[in-house]
Amino acid sequence: MIILDGIWYDGKTSARVRAELKVLDDAIFQVEEVETGKVLRRQPGTGVHVSDRIGDTPRALTFSGGAVFETEANAAVDRVLAGMRRQRRSRWVHGLESKKRHVMIAGLLVLLIGAGLVRYGIPATARLLAAVLPHSLYENADRQTLALLDRALVKESELGPEVQQRVRQHLQPIVDEHPDLGLNIVFRKGGRLGPNAFALPGGTILFTDEMITIAEHDDELTAVMAHETGHVAHRHAMRRIVQDSLLSFTLLALTGDASGAAELFLGLPVMLTELAYSRQFERDADRYALDYLHRHRIPASHFADLLERIEQRRKHQKSPKEGWSGYLATHPSTPERIREFR
């Protein structure tokens, strides 16, 4: 006979009763109150559900009707299960987690699997999902994103109608060459964004007034338009949205912790990995622009000239507090891009 000390819950009230579980020779489980010796429950052990062993945490033995006997005598419970030939996977799982070498191997496997998912699995999944999403979703994303930009970052364009018309006409060949992308050019005053351009998920390409005015040749804007068209063609914006969601979910699944403290540590890997994805997207868009410029015999140096001019302006206006901006920028370094286009 095996005797286990523990606490008895009758399944009807919250009362705790100090009790003993006696495992009789015929595999009968008998629960007795310690103080009075009163039999609280008696039934065959085959009808009792035993919780898995997790470290040295208390085990719960659930009887019919919802009554529970809770005990910290894990070794005794294991002997009972062994005698009843009810050894389950929890026993070898406990054996694995109790050995440091096994824990280290498991941790290494988790890191390798996580690295593989981040490097290959998540980008591939995002690419597939972005390719099958309906066009209406992209259009809705454009409307909402542009509305958000209008409320928070940009203002109505101050460019004259003749300037806007001239730029649209100069860039129209790119629009005509990509009828399936739904390209649409809009202008906004960038303010603190300065000379900039954005490709929204559904094909809307936003030029800031500052980008138009800093350009000294319309073919510089052609290079920018070709770059942003590359983002649209590769569905980079939607892929970034999907990748951000998948990356956060994957890290949460691997750590198994959804607490506020864990979110602080999850945020940094997500941000740094997303920056790596962004730089790769920018390189892809640069290659797309280079290919377009070469095919149409437009000097790629126009883009390099524009980048140099923008870089000089940013250096002139840069405050000392922005020292990290170059390292944490989503684009590859400007000298690297200039070299490529030269």
Side-chain angles (χ1 to χ4, degrees), residues 86-279:
R86 289 176 59 183
Q87 295 278 33
R88 298 176 296 177
R89 71 176 188 276
S90 61
R91 186 167 178 80
W92 64 264
V93 169
H94 172 70
L96 290 175
E97 70 179 11
S98 62
K99 293 181 173 60
K100 291 184 178 179
R101 179 173 29 169
H102 295 158
V103 172
M104 293 177 64
I105 292 174
L108 180 60
L109 287 175
V110 169
L111 289 176
L112 291 175
I113 292 172
L117 286 173
V118 170
R119 180 65 180 86
Y120 302 106
I122 290 177
T125 302
R127 189 181 302 109
L128 290 174
L129 290 177
V132 300
L133 291 175
H135 186 66
S136 58
L137 182 62
Y138 283 88
E139 292 178 340
N140 188 48
D142 269 25
R143 287 194 298 270
Q144 293 191 15
T145 304
L146 190 57
L148 178 61
L149 289 171
D150 285 338
R151 289 197 304 269
L153 291 175
V154 299
K155 298 180 180 179
E156 185 176 352
S157 174
E158 296 179 358
L159 296 175
E162 67 285 350
V163 176
Q164 293 190 26
Q165 182 63 22
R166 187 197 83 234
V167 173
R168 288 183 191 277
Q169 287 181 349
H170 190 78
L171 302 181
Q172 189 61 37
I174 301 181
V175 177
D176 294 339
E177 191 171 316
H178 302 83
D180 56 321
L181 297 183
L183 299 179
N184 176 43
I185 301 170
V186 298
F187 302 97
R188 295 290 189 275
K189 182 175 178 57
R192 60 181 179 177
L193 294 178
N196 223 318
F198 304 97
L200 306 188
T204 298
I205 296 180
L206 185 153
F207 283 87
T208 64
D209 292 359
E210 292 83 351
M211 177 64 84
I212 303 301
T213 56
I214 202 173
E216 296 180 356
H217 194 291
D218 283 347
D219 279 345
E220 295 178 353
L221 300 177
T222 298
V224 174
M225 180 70 177
H227 173 91
E228 301 304 327
T229 300
H231 284 309
V232 179
H234 290 298
R235 303 180 188 274
H236 284 160
M238 189 59 70
R239 284 168 59 185
R240 286 180 64 179
I241 295 172
V242 175
Q243 285 180 181
D244 281 351
S245 301
L246 291 177
L247 183 60
S248 298
F249 176 80
T250 299
L251 291 176
L252 184 61
L254 290 174
T255 59
D257 189 354
S259 66
E263 290 178 1
L264 295 176
F265 294 99
L266 288 176
L268 183 60
V270 170
M271 180 187 71
L272 294 178
T273 307
E274 170 57 21
L275 288 172
Y277 287 154
S278 298
R279 292 190 183 102

Side-chain angles (χ1 to χ4, degrees), residues 17-94:
V17 178
R18 189 161 172 257
E20 290 181 341
L21 172 63
K22 295 181 178 179
V23 182
L24 307 180
D25 294 338
D26 51 355
I28 297 296
F29 284 14
Q30 180 171 298
V31 182
E32 299 178 2
E33 187 175 354
V34 171
E35 292 185 1
T36 64
K38 177 183 176 181
V39 176
L40 303 175
R41 179 64 62 87
R42 179 186 174 94
Q43 75 174 64
T46 54
V48 177
H49 177 267
V50 183
S51 65
D52 293 337
R53 183 170 183 174
I54 303 176
D56 290 321
T57 59
R59 304 280 281 281
L61 287 74
T62 306
F63 290 71
S64 57
V68 175
F69 180 81
E70 186 177 274
T71 179
E72 295 181 357
N74 284 300
V77 174
D78 289 339
R79 289 199 305 272
V80 171
L81 293 176
M84 297 175 61
R85 296 181 180 178
R86 289 176 59 183
Q87 295 278 33
R88 298 176 296 177
R89 71 176 188 276
S90 61
R91 186 167 178 80
W92 64 264
V93 169
H94 172 70

